[in-house]
Amino acid sequence: MLTLDRLRRLVADGEVDTVVMAFTDMQGRLQGKRLHAGYFLNVALESGTEGCNYLLAVDIDMNTVDGYAISSWERGYGDMEWVPDWRTLRLLPHLPATAMVQCDLLWPDHEPVAESPRTILTAQLDRARERGWEAHAGTELEFILFEDTYEEAQARNYQRLRASNQYNIDYSVLGTTRVEPLLRDIRNTMYAAGMDVEGAKGECNLGQHEIGFLFNEALVTADNHVVYKTAAKEIAALRGKSLTFMAKYDQREGSSCHVHLSLRGLDGELVFWDAERGERSRVYDQFISGLLATMRDFTLLYAPNINSYKRFADGSFAPTAIAWGMDNRTCAVRLVGSGPSARLENRVPGGDVNPYLAIAAMIAGGLHGIENDLDPVPPTEGNAYTQGLELVPRTLREARDAFASSKVARSAFGDAVVDHYTNMADVELQAFDAAVTDWELRRGFERM
């Protein structure tokens, strides 16, 4: 990570000539602009920079769409201010002479843009901090790697691509060795960009891999997550390959993003563990209860796309049952560790998740359980897929309706945020309902 003073020295020495100013949009993507380093230091640093507010009101294809209160033709598509968070200033070693800083979004009157994902997470972190707690989180992102370039993949309509591994390589050393040049490049680049890399391992689907990073403060984890996701795609493209973080690329195993979370006191003291009794604390139990009680209401923030729901299938290691268990991977919430390592793992999110929204939802859900003194249901033992338990929503429409009508969501996030992300779901549903799929063409072109 860089300080502003070190950035000035690097620019003066000619080692940095470009600064990327970026923020995270609704879809979890980095959006921004590249500034010449001299302009950034001499002008933008003091006078700031802006971008059109439509960037928080478009579909995934960057089309302007109706239904957003903050941005429309009627409102004139004005600007948002981009305010750098200097804690995020870093080099991007895979790009020549380039640094990046991530930004918060403000309106021209300097009020925060409530609908911004980073603002949403910050608001929930502030709620926890009012109680004397900090949230720590880790995200485990899986992706599928292909030998085809992104341009070749598009030309083939994303069909018949060549996966970089031809068999299940879960934990296979040979399987990861086959693509180690790329995995190593990503690991070392991210370490040089200020992230604490743990390692890489193979996964079940063909060409599927995971690169892990150390637990950190929740906002740092979300910031790092989106930088890593963008950089991994860029590094793959530079090597003539492509990779996808889609939740469900094909009919084999989907790509998950398990989110680990725990609370700490502001001075680092344990919150989820009672050291004297050697067991989970009452706060931990309440947090688990709140997370489960809000799971259906908040699933939209864990699974934001049509494709997200294709991943939820019995016996797939993706959860279907709203349940918790001790080190039980068939449950939506898996408890791991004890003492300082005590944490919960939310197994609902997929690789397409927006980390700010998912972590914010987990904190809001946990605080709901604490504030309402909820008692946990018994842990699920054995196979949660077969026990007739309440299920996570199985479609985007079902999740959208639960979120839009949720009193808990409106209390935790505010009406503006709930309405904004409900509209995001509506836009996706309308686009999907209007599309004619390959499946329909194959089944109906001749035979119907």
Side-chain angles (χ1 to χ4, degrees):
M1 307 301 288
L2 295 177
T3 63
L4 194 52
D5 285 342
R6 184 169 175 231
L7 177 63
R8 288 192 175 99
R9 292 195 297 271
L10 292 172
V11 173
D13 293 341
E15 296 183 46
V16 169
D17 57 34
T18 301
V19 178
V20 178
M21 295 185 70
F23 69 92
T24 303
D25 69 4
M26 294 187 297
Q27 290 83 6
R29 305 172 297 186
L30 283 178
Q31 305 284 17
K33 58 178 76 172
R34 283 174 162 81
L35 303 182
H36 187 277
Y39 174 83
F40 175 79
L41 292 176
N42 297 327
V43 180
L45 195 60
E46 181 174 338
S47 61
T49 193
E50 301 83 26
C52 181
N53 61 38
Y54 99 115
L55 291 166
L56 283 181
V58 292
D59 66 11
I60 201 162
D61 289 324
M62 300 301 291
N63 297 313
T64 55
V65 291
D66 294 332
Y68 289 110
I70 68 168
S71 182
S72 65
W73 295 113
E74 289 72 24
R75 290 177 60 91
Y77 286 114
D79 277 346
M80 303 177 289
E81 295 181 4
W82 300 7
V83 180
D85 183 338
W86 298 115
R87 297 171 296 179
T88 70
L89 185 62
R90 70 180 82 221
L91 290 172
L92 296 179
H94 64 295
L95 300 176
T98 300
M100 171 186 279
V101 65
Q102 290 162 269
C103 300
D104 287 307
L105 300 178
L106 303 182
W107 294 117
D109 64 2
H110 308 304
E111 285 296 312
V113 178
E115 296 81 0
S116 165
R118 201 170 194 264
T119 303
I120 292 169
L121 175 54
T122 299
Q124 299 307 311
L125 293 173
D126 288 344
R127 290 181 63 202
R129 195 168 290 113
E130 289 172 0
R131 289 179 166 268
W133 301 326
E134 288 184 341
H136 290 234
T139 57
E140 301 175 336
L141 261 175
E142 297 173 354
F143 59 82
I144 298 177
L145 178 65
F146 299 98
E147 294 300 298
D148 313 88
T149 67
Y150 282 108
E151 291 76 16
E152 289 167 343
Q154 184 183 37
R156 295 179 183 177
N157 202 27
Y158 306 100
Q159 302 291 325
R160 299 183 297 280
L161 303 184
R162 297 169 295 158
S164 293
N165 300 93
Q166 290 74 45
Y167 53 88
N168 182 330
I169 56 162
D170 195 22
Y171 287 95
S172 167
V173 174
L174 174 61
T176 50
T177 300
R178 293 276 299 276
V179 293
E180 173 60 6
L182 175 67
L183 297 178
R184 180 175 181 270
D185 199 358
I186 295 174
R187 292 196 311 271
N188 290 342
T189 298
M190 293 298 90
Y191 185 79
M195 300 182 199
D196 292 320
V197 181
E198 287 188 349
K201 65 175 290 291
E203 292 289 344
C204 298
N205 204 339
L206 309 186
Q208 191 177 45
H209 296 266
E210 175 188 298
I211 295 176
F213 299 86
L214 282 177
F215 223 61
N216 211 321
E217 295 177 14
L219 186 61
V220 174
T221 288
D223 288 338
N224 287 346
H225 176 118
V226 295
V227 172
Y228 157 62
K229 196 170 180 180
T230 297
K233 292 178 182 178
E234 293 171 340
I235 294 168
L238 290 171
R239 284 185 167 271
K241 302 178 188 293
S242 59
L243 58 84
T244 182
F245 290 98
M246 286 180 67
K248 188 75 167 172
Y249 168 71
D250 57 17
Q251 292 181 334
R252 288 179 60 97
E253 295 83 2
S255 291
S256 67
C257 178
H258 302 147
V259 182
H260 291 248
L261 188 140
S262 70
L263 296 180
R264 291 283 191 276
L266 299 182
D267 294 323
E269 59 269 26
L270 299 183
V271 175
F272 275 3
W273 197 257
D274 187 328
E276 291 185 4
R277 301 176 64 181
E279 61 184 28
R280 295 191 313 274
S281 67
R282 173 64 179 167
V283 168
Y284 193 4
D285 282 346
Q286 292 169 331
F287 197 99
I288 297 165
S289 303
L291 188 59
L292 293 177
T294 58
M295 186 65 74
R296 285 187 59 83
D297 287 8
F298 293 175
T299 294
L300 180 63
L301 302 184
Y302 303 136
N305 300 302
I306 291 283
N307 180 256
S308 307
Y309 297 83
K310 303 289 179 71
R311 183 175 147 264
F312 300 142
D314 291 347
S316 67
F317 285 101
T320 58
I322 299 176
W324 72 279
M326 301 299 300
D327 198 13
N328 188 337
R329 285 184 168 88
T330 71
C331 297
V333 177
R334 169 179 171 244
L335 267 57
V336 187
S338 61
S341 66
R343 65 197 186 277
L344 56 84
E345 176 191 61
N346 184 353
R347 298 178 62 80
V348 173
D352 59 343
V353 74
N354 184 323
Y356 299 92
L357 300 182
I359 297 172
M362 292 174 68
I363 296 169
L367 291 178
H368 171 73
I370 293 167
E371 291 166 355
N372 290 277
D373 194 24
L374 299 183
D375 291 317
V377 298
T380 296
E381 298 180 1
N383 188 350
Y385 292 116
T386 63
Q387 298 188 30
L389 300 168
E390 184 181 19
L391 303 179
V392 297
R394 302 307 293 268
T395 65
L396 180 62
R397 182 168 282 106
E398 186 181 349
R400 176 260 183 226
D401 292 344
F403 185 67
S405 62
S406 171
K407 293 180 180 178
V408 179
R410 292 186 180 277
S411 174
F413 304 116
D415 288 337
V417 168
V418 172
D419 293 343
H420 192 86
Y421 286 90
T422 297
N423 192 67
M424 177 181 172
D426 288 339
V427 168
E428 288 301 293
L429 288 164
Q430 290 164 10
F432 183 73
D433 289 345
V436 177
T437 66
D438 292 345
W439 183 86
E440 293 169 275
L441 291 172
R442 286 195 302 270
R443 290 174 71 89
F445 188 91
E446 178 180 348
R447 289 174 284 182
M448 289 185 180

